[in-house]
């Protein structure tokens, strides 16, 4: 096989367990990256010529290599895919009795660039790297061998594909995939728009945090900001909330909220607010509305490191508006899916808002991503999700 040779000391991070190779770590005088085609598999060597394993290569990206194995005899092929998907499946079946979960979570399951969400016998696949795109057919075959699904949807329209130089597309790889698929989470039923919804159509990562949230909702008024199709709010309704208000910029998403409420035979009150979340919250404040539970789970305001300052400002403003809507003694759930926003910084933002608004806040629960989104201990990028629950009081003179 072809070889890439690393610069001196560039192997330290890989030896510590990481799986990525940056282009500035490659000795391009010895092994020029331009000789490779995106998706090629190569042997990775130390500066001294000692093999470290096999990696897929994309010479046109900052992360130019992704380790497939630490053996020079194990390649990314159908056999490797079947083996690792079986291992991933065993974790999910150990954790969740029903077949609704993230089946494959990229690097954390040894399959960098591959995400698979399971909706019973329907699978939704996202490929984000050239290496995985090269073995797309093998991925479909491996999933068929391991799970015997009725249908597989390729939802390959993510931003990472543009960085990798890949075309975007959404297509059936096998069988017939309906526009909406059923799922169950924490005993609540949903229909998710897998063809034209966000990501794979659903976000399994907050499932444990939503379960915790349900314990605070019986007999309460709940506000779900950036609701999408109602992952938080519909579960609050099913947990006994008297009325739930949903805010989202997508009319289509809100129409799915309404259908998911009906699916669970919710008989309480509901208010679907279409529009900018910041403007909608300001309107509720002016109307002197207050809620016992406010969920603030926005999209990633910090996509890249250079966005940190502006993104933290957006989190500050969003949480300040949300805090103003929390009734005395109520609960604020503050979520973030921005990997670049540290948990401590989110806590600082809530603390700062508490002082500015003269509120007394108490952190009562700190949540992270569900077990079907396992964290690779050597790859900090795989730990991204945060959910902080605060009890909010009016200023008690403290």
């Amino acid at each position: 096989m072809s070889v890439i040779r690393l610069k001196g000391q560039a192997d330290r991070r890989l030896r510590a367990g990481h799986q990525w190779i940056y282009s500035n770590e490659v000795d391009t005088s010895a092994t020029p990256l331009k000789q490779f085609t995106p998706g090629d598999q190569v042997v990775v060597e130390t500066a001294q010529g000692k093999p470290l394993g096999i990696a897929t290569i994309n010479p046109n990206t900052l992360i130019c290599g992704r380790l497939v194995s630490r053996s020079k005899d194990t390649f990314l092929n159908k056999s490797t895919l079947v083996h690792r998907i079986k291992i991933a499946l065993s974790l999910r079946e150990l954790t969740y009795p029903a077949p609704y979960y993230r089946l494959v979570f990229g690097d954390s399951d040894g399959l960098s660039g591959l995400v698979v969400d399971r909706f019973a016998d329907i699978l939704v696949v996202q490929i984000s790297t050239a290496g995985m795109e090269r073995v797309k057919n093998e991925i479909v075959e491996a999933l068929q061998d391991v799970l015997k699904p009725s249908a597989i949807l390729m939802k390959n329209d993510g931003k990472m594909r543009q960085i990798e130089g890949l075309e975007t597309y959404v297509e059936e790889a096998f069988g017939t995939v309906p526009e909406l698929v059923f799922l169950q989470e924490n005993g609540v039923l949903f229909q998710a728009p897998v063809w034209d919804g966000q990501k794979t159509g659903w976000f399994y990562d907050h499932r444990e945090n939503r379960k915790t949230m349900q314990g605070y909702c019986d007999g309460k008024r709940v506000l779900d900001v950036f609701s999408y199709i109602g992952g938080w709010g519909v579960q609050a309704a099913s947990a006994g909330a008297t009325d739930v208000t949903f805010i989202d910029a997508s009319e289509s998403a809100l129409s799915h909220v309404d259908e998911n409420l009906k699916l669970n035979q919710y008989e309480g009150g509901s208010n679907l607010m279409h529009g900018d979340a910041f403007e909608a919250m300001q309107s509720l404040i002016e109307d002197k509305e207050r809620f016992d539970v406010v969920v603030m789970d926005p999209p990633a305001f910090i996509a890249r490191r250079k966005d940190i300052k502006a993104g933290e400002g957006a989190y500050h403003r969003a949480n300040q508006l949300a805090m103003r809507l929390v009734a005395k003694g109520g609960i604020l759930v503050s979520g973030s899916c921005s990997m670049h926003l540290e948990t401590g910084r989110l806590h600082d933002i809530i603390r700062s808002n508490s002082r500015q608004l003269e509120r007394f806040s108490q952190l009562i629960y700190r949540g992270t991503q569900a077990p079907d989104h396992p964290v690779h201990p050597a790859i900090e990028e795989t730990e991204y999700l945060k959910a902080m629950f605060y009890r909010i009081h009016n200023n008690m003179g403290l």
Side-chain angles (χ1 to χ4, degrees):
M1 291 188 69
S2 298
V3 171
I4 63 165
R5 182 161 292 182
L6 302 181
K7 295 177 180 177
Q9 308 302 317
D11 60 319
R12 284 184 175 181
R13 199 164 36 80
L14 294 179
R15 291 187 184 280
H18 213 293
Q19 298 170 8
W20 300 352
I21 301 166
Y22 290 93
S23 56
N24 60 6
E25 296 175 324
V26 177
D27 183 350
T28 53
S29 61
T31 54
L33 285 171
K34 63 182 180 181
Q35 67 180 303
F36 301 111
T37 301
D40 284 351
Q41 296 189 52
V42 301
V43 176
V44 182
E45 291 184 350
T46 67
Q48 294 73 38
K50 183 176 180 180
L52 290 171
I54 301 294
T56 59
I57 287 294
N58 189 335
N60 306 317
T61 56
L62 177 61
I63 303 173
C64 70
R66 296 171 186 270
L67 212 62
V68 171
S69 73
R70 297 182 186 276
S71 164
K72 60 184 180 67
D73 300 316
T74 301
F75 308 98
L76 183 60
N77 54 26
K78 181 182 174 182
S79 176
T80 299
L81 288 162
V82 166
H83 178 63
R84 293 186 183 174
I85 289 170
K86 284 181 177 179
I87 294 173
L89 177 62
S90 69
L91 169 63
R92 279 65 179 184
E93 290 183 334
L94 180 69
T95 310
Y96 300 110
Y100 306 100
Y101 39 68
R102 174 147 293 182
L103 172 65
V104 175
F105 182 47
D107 295 280
S108 294
D109 287 304
L111 294 169
S112 187
L114 178 64
V115 162
V116 182
D117 276 359
R118 185 179 188 185
F119 303 92
D121 61 345
I122 295 174
L123 304 177
V124 180
V125 177
Q126 287 194 311
I127 294 172
S128 60
T129 63
M132 280 295 170
E133 184 73 12
R134 185 76 71 86
V135 294
K136 179 178 70 173
N137 293 336
E138 288 87 343
I139 291 170
V140 174
E141 292 171 4
L143 290 170
Q144 289 176 307
D145 284 359
V146 177
L147 289 116
K148 305 293 189 294
S150 66
I152 299 174
L153 181 69
M154 285 286 177
K155 187 75 182 296
N156 290 334
D157 56 357
K159 294 179 181 179
M160 273 296 297
R161 291 183 64 87
Q162 298 174 21
I163 296 173
E164 289 275 319
L166 300 172
E167 294 182 356
T168 59
Y169 60 90
V170 179
E171 66 182 23
E172 291 165 329
F174 168 72
T176 301
V177 180
E179 291 293 324
L180 299 172
V181 300
F182 284 96
L183 69 111
Q184 185 182 87
E185 184 178 289
N186 300 325
V188 183
L189 299 175
F190 290 91
Q191 285 184 311
V194 293
W195 279 87
D196 56 7
Q198 297 178 23
K199 303 289 185 175
T200 64
W202 183 250
F203 297 90
Y204 281 121
D205 50 4
H206 265 306
R207 65 194 304 160
E208 302 300 331
N209 302 319
R210 292 179 184 130
K211 185 176 181 179
T212 298
M213 181 262 322
Q214 286 182 304
Y216 297 103
C217 294
D218 189 23
K220 306 297 184 182
R221 299 192 72 213
V222 176
L223 173 63
D224 183 0
V225 187
F226 298 103
S227 66
Y228 182 44
I229 63 173
W232 292 89
V234 173
Q235 293 194 41
S238 296
T242 56
D243 67 87
V244 186
T245 295
F246 301 83
I247 298 175
D248 202 86
S250 167
E251 278 190 286
S252 175
L254 289 173
S255 70
H256 294 306
V257 168
D258 194 39
E259 291 303 314
N260 285 327
L261 288 170
K262 293 176 182 176
L263 190 63
N264 290 279
Q265 301 179 338
Y266 179 59
E267 297 179 353
S270 61
N271 179 24
L272 308 180
M273 298 185 67
H274 171 238
D276 177 81
F278 294 91
E279 294 176 1
M281 285 191 287
Q282 185 62 50
S283 175
L284 290 171
I285 290 169
E286 292 171 359
D287 292 339
K288 301 187 184 305
E289 294 282 1
R290 296 294 181 270
F291 300 87
D292 302 298
V293 178
V294 176
V295 178
M296 169 55 59
D297 183 26
F301 288 147
I302 307 175
R304 296 160 295 183
R305 288 190 183 277
K306 69 177 185 178
D307 302 325
I308 288 178
K309 185 176 180 180
E312 286 186 353
Y315 281 110
H316 189 281
R317 183 181 170 215
N319 280 282
Q320 185 177 91
L321 290 168
M323 190 176 291
R324 292 174 65 185
L325 288 164
V326 179
K328 180 180 178 180
I331 304 296
L332 170 63
V333 178
S334 181
S336 169
C337 60
S338 296
M339 187 273 292
H340 296 297
L341 180 69
E342 296 179 357
T343 301
R345 283 298 298 135
L346 180 58
H347 188 55
D348 284 344
I349 287 169
I350 301 300
R351 175 194 53 76
S352 175
N353 280 324
S354 298
R355 296 304 305 133
Q356 290 180 19
L357 297 175
E358 296 188 342
R359 300 290 197 273
F360 181 77
S361 61
Q362 299 165 298
L363 176 63
I364 58 176
Y365 172 80
R366 182 185 284 115
T368 185
Q369 61 222 53
D372 58 351
H373 292 66
V375 174
H376 191 300
I379 307 177
E380 63 178 12
E381 292 85 356
T382 63
E383 185 173 12
Y384 68 98
L385 199 73
K386 293 156 281 286
M388 314 282 276
F389 287 47
Y390 296 87
R391 192 181 188 207
I392 308 295
H393 273 281
N394 292 339
N395 195 336
M396 300 195 305
L398 294 173

